[in-house]
Amino acid sequence: MENHIETLKSFQPISQKTPDEIPAVIQSTLDVLGSCSCLTDFTPESDKFQEISNLVLEAFKILKGVCPKGKQFQQVLLESKELLALIQHILEFAQSNENILKLRLSTVQLLFNLSVGENTYKIFNKFRETFIEGLNPEINCEGISEQEYAKYCNTNALMLFNVINTPEYAEELLESGELLKILEFSVRHTLNEEELADNVQLLLNTFVTALPETAMIYEKLPDNLRLQFLYYIHDTMREEEISQELLDKLILRFKQTSDSILKPDGTGVDTTKPKEVYSLLEIIAVASQSENEMKETVAIDGSLFLNIGCLLMSIQKLGKNPSSIFAPAQKLEQLAPNSSLPSTFETDISYKFKTLLVQTMANLLYKNKKNQELVREMDILLAILDCTNVDARNPLIKEYSIWAIRNACENNPENQQIVASLTKVGNVKSDVVSEISESVIRIQK
């Protein structure tokens, strides 16, 4: 074994080898690997296994360095049945300790280096289970550190990134159900507290911004992962434009499920989908204020505007009931620790939800004649006017309401007339404003 190690080390640095020298290097390295076929005869915990695996790692390091030297050398490696058999054996080992993980990592890296052009899908197809399962962030092995396993996942993510970026491969993975599995594993990585690995980030970004098939599998994600995926989409939208297909899907999903935030009896909320509805609305809100095609997509969707407006009116109706979580909080004492308002009210689905509705409508009304007409004809304008009171459950709702009214009335005489025809009967009573004013006066004294 020591002689083999010395032979392999003599080939380094491989980058300085000339093309004429590479064939001999390849043959010698493959001969060394031929003596490693007995690896499977030993248990991973044995010294002999460790000795042989170190030799394999050194040989794979040479072969990984050979790959960039030319396609003809890659082909020689791919035609080696002994090499492919050894790779298969290594990948069949259970991930019982870090030594095996290092072997698998080096093996996957070698396969990735061999995956150029038409070889990409051939290699992926032969070892597809390895690449897909290698993205799974959840392992049950105490002998493997999270950092080492993250490296392994990151390498597999890069291979999967190359595959799904080829339309015909992505379509095949969609039909087999494996594309959904890749997305699930990718989203699971965002649940960890550690920073997202570069290639996993790259893979997820592709799902969000460039892969039409994402729209077809979004609803198939488990509930917790679907919600987590929405968080990721929301963050991505602040810097990049998401794919048109995915945005269309999310808008449709919102329109189909938005009323689930209300209980059938109208007294509270249904707990099955409210968080998803809230997150979908946040995404629509970001799209409505963007400076790209996403804004145009939501602005021309009249049914979306009506859906948001009708949802606002329904919530206002529910808010008339003092016991409803949508009832305005207009007394400072309601926010005190000993008040009847739960201390967790800021985490309730109702918190900021009405503000978000009005904010989105304000954006959709901006220089939009169609929505200006809809807001009047469907009495949504009156609902917005009713939101100009201070509400501790909905910070900034008064400001967004004023902005929405301004946009609804801009160059629209009919809407201006509605606002002008309103008769002032006195100042709106707001205990929040009154109590704040009194506090200010006391401070000034």
Side-chain angles (χ1 to χ4, degrees), residues 25 155 194 207 210 251 261 295 299 313 336 360-361 385 425 442:
V25 171
T155 303
E194 291 79 13
F207 273 108
I251 292 172
I261 203 166
K295 182 175 183 177
M313 291 190 290
T360 305
M361 281 193 290
L385 285 164
V425 295
R442 286 196 294 272

Side-chain angles (χ1 to χ4, degrees), residues 385-405:
L385 285 164
D386 197 36
C387 292
T388 53
N389 295 330
V390 174
D391 178 3
R393 286 188 190 271
N394 289 282
L396 298 178
I397 192 169
K398 178 178 179 180
E399 290 76 9
Y400 280 121
S401 297
I402 294 171
W403 174 242
I405 294 167

Side-chain angles (χ1 to χ4, degrees), residues 17 80 127 200 223 247 287 313:
K17 296 295 181 183
S80 172
F127 302 103
V200 176
D223 290 347
L247 181 57
M313 291 190 290

Side-chain angles (χ1 to χ4, degrees), residues 69 111 142-143 167 171 204 211 228 272 292 304 380 421:
K69 292 290 184 177
L111 289 173
E142 297 179 357
E171 185 176 343
L204 261 176
L211 201 65
Q228 187 68 20
T272 55
N292 50 44
L304 173 63
I380 300 171
S421 66

Side-chain angles (χ1 to χ4, degrees), residues 142-185:
E142 297 179 357
I144 299 177
S145 70
E146 291 183 1
Q147 288 183 333
E148 286 299 317
Y149 194 72
K151 293 179 184 177
Y152 180 62
C153 288
N154 207 34
T155 303
N156 285 288
L158 190 56
M159 181 67 178
L160 295 171
F161 167 78
N162 286 345
V163 171
I164 69 172
N165 268 286
T166 304
E168 57 267 33
Y169 301 162
E171 185 176 343
E172 192 269 330
L173 288 170
L174 175 67
E175 294 176 357
S176 68
E178 291 167 309
L179 191 65
L180 175 60
K181 195 171 187 179
I182 294 171
L183 178 57
E184 284 186 19
F185 286 158

Side-chain angles (χ1 to χ4, degrees), residues 375-426:
V375 79
R376 180 183 69 255
E377 294 169 359
M378 302 304 294
D379 292 331
I380 300 171
L381 182 57
L382 296 177
I384 297 174
L385 285 164
D386 197 36
C387 292
T388 53
N389 295 330
V390 174
D391 178 3
R393 286 188 190 271
N394 289 282
L396 298 178
I397 192 169
K398 178 178 179 180
E399 290 76 9
Y400 280 121
S401 297
I402 294 171
W403 174 242
I405 294 167
R406 181 263 179 205
N407 290 344
C409 293
E410 184 180 24
N411 298 322
N412 193 298
E414 293 89 345
N415 290 349
Q416 293 172 14
Q417 181 60 37
I418 290 177
V419 176
S421 66
L422 296 176
T423 303
K424 179 177 179 179
V425 295

Side-chain angles (χ1 to χ4, degrees), residues 238 284-292 295 298 359 363 400:
R238 297 190 178 280
I284 293 169
V286 172
S288 71
Q289 64 190 26
S290 66
E291 297 298 330
N292 50 44
K295 182 175 183 177
V298 295
Q359 176 191 355
N363 294 334
Y400 280 121

